[in-house]
């Protein structure tokens, strides 16, 4: 990470940004400094020297999570003091929350430096869980237009329809301002589960409900599945079906992140969201510019060979002047994948994680 005493880099990495005029989504390289958020194009395997834009952080307001994009649950919104809205998507819930926390800390520090008053612990609003009406919460969750979205989820080779993940429930409760924190959301969700207003779906949530104490019955986890109780049938019942693609996508997510991949035909480099799974071991990649929740491609890691490529010069098989942080995966069917990580450390982390599964 770059260091500059006057304008140090607090955080940097890929985020997917929605355009202001044409509302398409593009991967950009973001750099957070104490007073601004800069973003750059990342083409040809390297960052552009000219920045594409910047967001001055003073008096900005951040909303995380921001759930108005149905197929993009990892978006957060940054609104400037002039009302300009920036919609940014991270590669994972953890990455989204870390970006939001770092940006919020920078905004708070600017406010304090400017003579503004930061909220002390005693100034924070009290918990909203007192005297809350669980039936009203359920009605809001069940609302077709503004409620939680039902979708298909995969667990251990089975596809469950008309359900939602634990983390989606927590995100929704925070976004709707029914609670203040994710911890409160888990407590409220556990109460809904205990009262039979929600029910467990699949093995992970069933086991947690059976073995955990009351405060831990509900899981803030993207792989723990839930649905509305059987008495609420209008929005569809949960069904479990098996398919080949479901088996591929049913493994435990080991790692996910933005990497650059060289295309097989045109040999151009594009940012892709990579997801590494185990049992079965697969590596899938997604096009972050599209709302499609299905992978753009992927392959089994059984019998794969993975190697780090030399940082000196352009390796054989790589098109263009692409150098640094490259690695190659050769599948069992002899398909060659050339991939570039943003940093050397990330490259080595991905190589180690993939080798453990191959």
């Amino acid at each position: 990470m770059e260091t500059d005493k006057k304008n140090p880099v607090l955080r940097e990495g890929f985020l997917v940004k929605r355009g202001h005029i044409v509302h398409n989504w593009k991967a950009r390289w973001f750099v957070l400094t104490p007073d601004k958020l800069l973003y750059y194009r990342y083409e040809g395997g390297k960052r552009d020297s000219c920045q594409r834009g910047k967001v001055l952080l003073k008096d900005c307001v951040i909303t995380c999570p921001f759930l108005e994009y149905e197929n993009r649950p990892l978006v957060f919104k940054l609104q400037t003091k002039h009302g300009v809205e920036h919609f940014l998507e991270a590669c994972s819930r953890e990455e989204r929350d870390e970006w939001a926390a770092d940006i919020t800390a920078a905004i708070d520090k600017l406010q304090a430096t400017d003579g503004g008053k930061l909220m002390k612990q005693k100034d924070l609003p009290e918990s909203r869980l007192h005297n809350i009406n669980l039936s009203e919460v359920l009605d809001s969750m069940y609302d077709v237009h503004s409620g939680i979205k039902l979708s298909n989820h995969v667990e251990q080779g089975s596809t469950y329809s008309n359900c939602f993940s634990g983390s989606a429930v927590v995100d929704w409760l925070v976004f709707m301002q029914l609670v203040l924190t994710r911890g409160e959301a888990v407590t409220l969700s556990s109460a809904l589960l205990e009262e039979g207003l929600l029910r467990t779906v699949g093995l992970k949530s069933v086991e947690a409900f059976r073995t955990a104490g009351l405060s831990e019955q509900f899981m803030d986890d993207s792989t723990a599945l839930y649905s509305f109780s059987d008495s609420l049938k209008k929005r569809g019942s949960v069904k479990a079906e098996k398919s080949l693609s479901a088996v591929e996508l049913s493994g435990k997510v080991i790692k996910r992140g933005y990497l650059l991949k060289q295309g097989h035909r045109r040999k151009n480099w594009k940012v892709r969201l990579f997801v590494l799974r185990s049992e079965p071991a697969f590596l899938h990649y997604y096009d972050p510019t599209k709302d499609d929740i299905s992978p753009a491609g992927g392959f089994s890691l059984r019998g794969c060979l993975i190697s780090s490529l030399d940082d000196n010069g352009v390796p054989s098989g790589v098109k263009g002047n692409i150098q640094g942080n490259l690695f190659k995966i050769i599948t069992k069917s002899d398909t060659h994948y050339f991939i570039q990580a943003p940093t050397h450390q990330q490259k080595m982390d991905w190589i180690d994680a993939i080798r453990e599964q191959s």
Side-chain angles (χ1 to χ4, degrees):
M1 185 176 288
E2 299 174 14
T3 56
D4 183 335
K5 290 183 179 180
K6 292 184 178 180
N7 215 17
V9 173
L10 304 178
R11 187 182 187 89
E12 60 182 333
F14 283 116
L15 292 170
V16 179
K17 178 182 178 297
R18 197 197 75 168
H20 287 297
I21 301 174
V22 179
H23 291 173
N24 53 355
W25 295 81
K26 297 289 185 184
R28 296 288 182 256
W29 184 262
F30 280 79
V31 177
L32 175 64
T33 70
D35 62 344
K36 62 180 73 75
L37 184 64
L38 312 172
Y39 55 94
Y40 302 79
R41 292 179 69 177
Y42 205 102
E43 289 190 343
K46 57 184 178 181
R47 190 187 85 180
D48 250 359
S49 58
C50 299
Q51 71 182 45
R52 302 295 293 179
K54 65 181 177 181
V55 182
L56 299 178
L57 296 178
K58 187 175 181 297
D59 297 326
C60 278
V61 176
I62 193 166
T63 303
C64 180
F66 184 81
L67 301 181
E68 292 189 10
Y69 294 102
E70 183 174 350
N71 290 330
R72 293 181 180 272
L74 302 176
V75 170
F76 62 94
K77 182 178 78 170
L78 187 61
Q79 181 173 314
T80 70
K81 66 178 180 180
H82 301 297
V84 178
E85 295 178 329
H86 300 269
F87 300 95
L88 309 173
E89 183 182 37
C91 65
S92 67
R93 183 163 53 88
E94 294 76 15
E95 187 92 353
R96 178 198 67 189
D97 293 346
E98 288 171 6
W99 269 103
D102 288 346
I103 293 172
T104 298
I107 294 171
D108 289 346
K109 194 168 184 179
L110 286 171
Q111 184 182 1
T113 303
D114 198 41
K117 179 186 175 185
L118 291 176
M119 280 199 300
K120 299 179 182 177
Q121 189 65 36
K122 65 179 181 180
D123 298 323
L124 294 172
E126 294 183 1
S127 169
R128 302 180 185 182
L129 293 183
H130 302 298
N131 301 319
I132 197 163
N133 188 314
L134 294 181
S135 295
E136 290 180 0
V137 173
L138 183 68
D139 288 342
S140 297
M141 290 180 68
Y142 196 69
D143 187 274
V144 174
H145 302 292
S146 61
I148 194 164
K149 305 301 180 185
L150 299 178
S151 59
N152 297 339
H153 291 265
V154 177
E155 184 184 11
Q156 295 193 0
S158 293
T159 300
Y160 296 93
S161 59
N162 299 312
C163 58
F164 38 79
S165 70
S167 59
V169 175
V170 172
D171 280 351
W172 184 86
L173 290 170
V174 173
F175 177 67
M176 297 299 290
Q177 300 182 353
L178 294 172
V179 295
L180 294 173
T181 66
R182 300 190 74 86
E184 286 187 1
V186 170
T187 301
L188 177 55
S189 301
S190 295
L192 291 168
L193 199 59
E194 179 72 13
E195 293 297 323
L197 301 175
L198 297 180
R199 69 183 185 89
T200 55
V201 175
L203 297 176
K204 190 165 189 176
S205 59
V206 170
E207 183 65 15
F209 184 74
R210 185 178 67 83
T211 60
L214 175 61
S215 62
E216 301 171 333
Q217 285 181 343
F218 191 89
M219 300 182 69
D220 181 4
D221 189 310
S222 61
T223 61
L225 305 181
Y226 301 88
S227 186
F228 295 112
S229 67
D230 288 334
S231 61
L232 298 174
K233 292 290 187 181
K234 293 181 181 178
R235 291 182 66 184
S237 58
V238 177
K239 298 178 182 178
E241 300 174 351
K242 286 185 178 288
S243 67
L244 180 60
S245 60
V247 172
E248 287 186 15
L249 299 169
S250 66
K252 178 183 178 182
V253 174
I254 301 297
K255 189 175 181 62
R256 50 189 291 146
Y258 292 123
L259 299 169
L260 287 106
K261 172 186 169 293
Q262 180 176 270
H264 289 297
R265 284 179 289 183
R266 296 177 60 191
K267 306 298 182 184
N268 53 349
W269 288 82
K270 296 289 185 181
V271 177
R272 294 291 180 255
L273 170 62
F274 278 80
V275 179
L276 173 64
R277 293 180 172 89
S278 67
E279 299 178 1
F282 270 83
L283 185 63
H284 293 96
Y285 52 92
Y286 300 75
D287 185 347
T289 68
K290 297 179 179 178
D291 288 341
D292 191 357
I293 60 174
S294 300
F299 50 90
S300 170
L301 292 176
R302 180 177 294 180
C304 280
L305 297 176
I306 181 168
S307 57
S308 175
L309 300 181
D310 195 343
D311 286 343
N312 297 320
V314 179
S316 175
V318 173
K319 181 181 178 182
N321 188 27
I322 309 301
Q323 301 180 45
N325 307 321
L326 291 161
F327 61 96
K328 179 171 70 172
I329 301 174
I330 305 176
T331 68
K332 193 174 181 180
S333 60
D334 200 35
T335 303
H336 293 223
Y337 290 85
F338 293 95
I339 300 170
Q340 184 183 42
T343 67
H344 176 76
Q345 185 59 54
Q346 289 185 49
K347 177 183 80 168
M348 299 311 299
D349 290 345
W350 273 100
I351 289 175
D352 290 344
I354 293 170
R355 280 178 175 163
E356 287 182 6
Q357 304 304 320
S358 58

